[in-house]
Amino acid sequence: PGGFTSGWLDNDLIKQTEDSLRLLYRKNPGEPWEIYPYYTQNAGNPMDKTGRMVASKIRKGEYVLGMYDKKLGTTIINPQNKGQLDIYPNPSQGKVTIEFDDIYNRAEITITDNLGRVVQQIPLYSGQKFIELDTNGWAGGVYFVSLSNGLDGKLVVE
């Protein structure tokens, strides 16, 4: 009822912009909080303290909103649960879609040829789950797709 400055439940949580807002999860009170991997975030205008979060999967446990502050440390993604990287159509003769689990922080995809030369680097942003790539004009062969969180895949261009 009171607007951004007084009446909303989280009005003290967001100090400046909501682009650092994260959904955190833990299975039970004895576990540490982790960034929940199955949600999308649409902040719209990052200065108005409004936006939308949608969880695509719900797990039994506890959830909380938190602000990421890069001055306090870095986010570590559990290496046992790196996520998934899908590349299709594969083999390709043109447009390719590369899907991956939600990116928590800025990251990038690096595509290298079979000699290890970087063909393309594509920046990724929080909330992003896929990119579309045009391989027209690329030489036929095997390319390696690496996400900076450790996920890897192969792309065959015909």
Side-chain angles (χ1 to χ4, degrees), residues 21-143:
L21 190 64
R22 300 290 185 263
L23 181 61
L24 304 175
Y25 167 82
R26 65 183 179 188
K27 190 173 183 176
N28 59 54
E31 294 185 2
W33 291 104
E34 297 178 356
I35 296 175
Y36 191 63
Y38 304 110
Y39 79 99
T40 57
Q41 179 175 345
N42 182 355
N45 177 351
M47 301 300 287
D48 67 359
K49 295 187 179 183
T50 63
R52 180 181 194 158
M53 285 187 174
V54 177
S56 59
K57 295 180 184 179
I58 301 294
R59 294 180 178 166
K60 188 175 181 179
E62 299 180 331
Y63 295 83
V64 69
L65 295 175
M67 294 298 288
Y68 176 75
D69 186 345
K70 59 186 165 198
K71 295 179 288 188
L72 298 176
T74 59
T75 301
I76 299 171
I77 298 171
N78 182 352
Q80 288 80 24
N81 185 18
K82 285 184 181 179
Q84 188 170 331
L85 180 71
D86 293 318
I87 303 168
Y88 58 88
N90 197 6
S92 172
Q93 295 178 338
K95 297 241 183 222
V96 173
T97 299
I98 301 172
E99 281 187 8
F100 38 83
D101 288 338
D102 190 7
I103 300 301
Y104 305 119
N105 297 307
R106 288 188 179 179
E108 70 181 11
I109 284 183
T110 302
I111 301 172
T112 56
D113 63 15
N114 61 355
L115 298 175
R117 296 179 294 209
V118 174
V119 174
Q120 197 165 5
Q121 287 184 305
I122 304 159
L124 305 173
Y125 300 95
S126 180
Q128 191 170 356
K129 293 185 176 187
F130 72 95
I131 62 164
E132 291 179 336
L133 185 65
D134 188 355
T135 62
N136 284 317
W138 291 22
V142 176
Y143 293 83

Side-chain angles (χ1 to χ4, degrees), residues 13-25:
L13 180 63
I14 301 170
K15 299 294 185 193
Q16 303 232 349
T17 66
E18 62 259 18
D19 61 350
S20 295
L21 190 64
R22 300 290 185 263
L23 181 61
L24 304 175
Y25 167 82

